[in-house]
């Protein structure tokens, strides 16, 4: 499978099917009275000159913010699927990681616990010894749980590659292939699997080869533009910037300029420590990476924004490929009505107050400007040079958290 076809499958695979609430064409034809027909003045085709019937003002409310947002972006619920997957209606994606395994083993009632325990008896792992045997068994447990998730999930399962080898491209490549082979042994095709890796230079290089083999990759811990640019240049399927963690880093470092492109006075205030609560570097990063992927790589690399703390952040990224939202934000948006589609009896307005408008789109991305330096091909040296302070620190911290999960 080519890289381009793998990417095309990413979004449809994670999109909920719409329900067909209309009657069939035959049912409509059987009940609809015959009316005169006339030629369409522009196209010359025969159209029905149906009588317009009076429709009373609708009593239904406008749609919710969540419903409107889902027309622009694929919303992925951020829940601990190991414990609450069965409570989520038609989830679009799942993650099988070491932290998820820990949650399963800590819950005696988990229906997934048996899948983890069975990994100890996997024949191929018993051919290994020591740490290699343990790593093999953990990989098998991830696959067993991931395969169970796919019984409910409509799309893909993102499966974690051992974070302890995040800086070794050869080992990442070998372990990624091994995970896919394990999935295929239990009847799961590689088109339903994403390999989840930290966005290191080694992972990007391993991902480039895996994508060439038809294995889609999902890079997490993206905190710097150069990570997203390098991923797009190497054909990675999905990159995941974390809005909340990047915003938190800047809050801990009030002297850092949040937006170099902001007016000089605002930058001076931020540098002096006053800051500006309206400037969220996490949102700016998602917007910049999205625009770059769309304008310069045809949108083949999808952007998944996570770490959204409130509905204002989600609405600010309306139109992004994927938005990962926790239960608190989902509930807030699902209970917030808009006036979109509300029938006043005079008109069914689409531009009334409360509309959820796209903030990101392929057309808007074409208007984005980039510095010549940002459009250069990224190599290992420039990757290290342009991985700014927050990107470098947060990437290292994130990898260490994943390693702690693995060791535990």
């Amino acid at each position: 499978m080519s890289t381009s076809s793998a990417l095309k499958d990413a979004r449809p695979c994670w999109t909920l099917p719409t329900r067909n609430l209309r009657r069939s064409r035959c049912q409509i034809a059987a009940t609809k009275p015959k009316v005169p027909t006339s030629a369409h003045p522009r196209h010359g085709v025969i159209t029905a000159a149906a009588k317009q019937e009076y429709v009373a003002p609708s009593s239904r409310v406008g749609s919710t913010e969540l419903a409107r947002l889902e027309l622009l972006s694929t919303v992925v619920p951020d829940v601990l699927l190991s414990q609450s997957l069965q409570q989520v209606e038609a989830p679009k994606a799942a993650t099988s990681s070491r932290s998820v395994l820990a949650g399963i083993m800590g819950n005696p009632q988990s229906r997934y616990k048996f899948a983890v325990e069975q990994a100890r008896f996997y024949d191929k792992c018993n051919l290994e010894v020591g740490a290699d045997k343990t790593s093999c068994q953990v990989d098998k447990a991830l696959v067993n749980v991931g395969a169970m998730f796919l019984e409910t999930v409509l799309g893909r399962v993102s499966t974690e590659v051992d974070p302890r080898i995040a800086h070794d491209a050869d080992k990442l490549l070998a372990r990624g292939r091994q995970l896919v082979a394990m999935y295929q042994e239990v009847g799961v095709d590689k088109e339903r699997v994403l390999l989840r890796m930290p966005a290191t230079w080694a992972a990007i290089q391993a991902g480039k080869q895996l994508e060439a083999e038809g294995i889609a990759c999902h890079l997490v811990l993206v905190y710097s533009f150069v990570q997203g640019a390098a991923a797009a240049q190497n054909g990675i399927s999905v990159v995941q910037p974390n809005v909340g963690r990047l915003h938190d880093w800047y809050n801990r470092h009030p002297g850092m300029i949040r937006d170099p492109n902001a007016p000089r006075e605002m930058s001076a205030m931020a540098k002096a420590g006053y800051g500006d609560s309206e400037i969220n570097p996490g949102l700016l990063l998602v917007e910049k990476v999205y625009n770059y992927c769309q304008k310069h790589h045809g949108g083949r690399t999808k952007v998944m924004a996570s770490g959204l703390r409130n509905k204002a952040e989600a609405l600010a990224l309306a139109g992004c490929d994927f938005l990962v939202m926790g239960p608190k934000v989902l509930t807030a948006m699902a209970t917030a009505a808009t006036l979109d589609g509300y029938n006043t009896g005079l008109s069914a307005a689409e531009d009334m107050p409360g509309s959820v408008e796209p903030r990101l789109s392929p057309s808007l991305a074409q208007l984005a400007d980039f510095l010549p330096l940002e459009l250069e091909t990224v190599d290992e040296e420039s990757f290290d040079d342009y991985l700014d302070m927050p990107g470098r620190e947060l990437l290292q911290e994130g990898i260490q958290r994943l390693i702690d999960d693995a060791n535990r």
Side-chain angles (χ1 to χ4, degrees), residues 98 160-173 175 196-207 219-221 227 380 383-384 395-403 406:
R98 284 153 179 79
E160 183 182 70
V161 182
D162 195 337
R164 292 171 293 189
I165 57 174
H167 294 285
D168 191 321
D170 291 336
K171 289 183 179 180
L172 287 170
L173 185 59
R175 292 290 287 278
R196 180 186 179 96
M197 299 178 286
T200 62
W201 178 253
I204 292 172
Q205 296 311 297
L219 296 186
V220 297
L221 306 182
Q227 292 172 288
E380 185 171 9
F383 183 86
D384 292 335
L395 177 60
Q396 292 174 353
E397 291 175 6
I399 292 174
Q400 188 58 53
R401 282 196 305 272
L402 296 178
I403 291 175

Side-chain angles (χ1 to χ4, degrees), residues 58-106:
S58 174
S59 61
R60 68 180 178 85
V61 299
S63 63
T64 65
E65 288 181 337
L66 180 60
R68 296 295 298 180
L69 184 62
E70 287 186 311
L71 298 177
L72 304 172
S73 301
T74 297
V75 175
V76 181
D78 184 13
V79 295
L80 183 56
L81 292 176
S82 63
Q83 298 178 9
S84 55
L85 181 65
Q86 62 272 22
Q87 300 174 8
V88 180
E89 183 179 354
K92 304 173 183 67
T95 295
S96 182
S97 65
R98 284 153 179 79
S99 62
V100 169
L101 294 185
I104 291 173
M105 298 310 294

Side-chain angles (χ1 to χ4, degrees), residues 72-213:
L72 304 172
S73 301
T74 297
V75 175
V76 181
D78 184 13
V79 295
L80 183 56
L81 292 176
S82 63
Q83 298 178 9
S84 55
L85 181 65
Q86 62 272 22
Q87 300 174 8
V88 180
E89 183 179 354
K92 304 173 183 67
T95 295
S96 182
S97 65
R98 284 153 179 79
S99 62
V100 169
L101 294 185
I104 291 173
M105 298 310 294
N107 180 8
Q109 305 301 321
S110 174
R111 60 189 289 258
Y112 303 101
K113 191 171 183 179
F114 179 76
V116 177
E117 294 173 340
Q118 286 301 301
R120 293 180 299 166
F121 308 106
Y122 183 52
D123 292 342
K124 293 182 180 179
C125 292
N126 291 327
L127 299 176
E128 307 289 344
V129 294
D132 290 339
K133 179 178 180 179
T134 303
S135 295
C136 177
Q137 290 174 332
V138 172
D139 282 352
K140 179 58 176 173
L142 291 171
V143 169
N144 288 350
V145 171
M148 289 187 68
F149 284 170
L150 286 172
E151 295 174 1
T152 305
V153 171
L154 292 178
R156 299 173 185 253
V157 62
S158 182
T159 305
E160 183 182 70
V161 182
D162 195 337
R164 292 171 293 189
I165 57 174
H167 294 285
D168 191 321
D170 291 336
K171 289 183 179 180
L172 287 170
L173 185 59
R175 292 290 287 278
R177 289 168 173 164
Q178 176 178 295
L179 285 167
V180 171
M182 287 180 177
Y183 270 114
Q184 291 176 330
E185 287 178 351
V186 296
V188 176
D189 194 85
K190 62 184 178 183
E191 276 73 20
R192 300 208 64 193
V193 178
L194 283 167
L195 294 182
R196 180 186 179 96
M197 299 178 286
T200 62
W201 178 253
I204 292 172
Q205 296 311 297
K208 178 181 180 180
Q209 180 58 42
L210 290 166
E211 294 277 358
E213 298 172 11

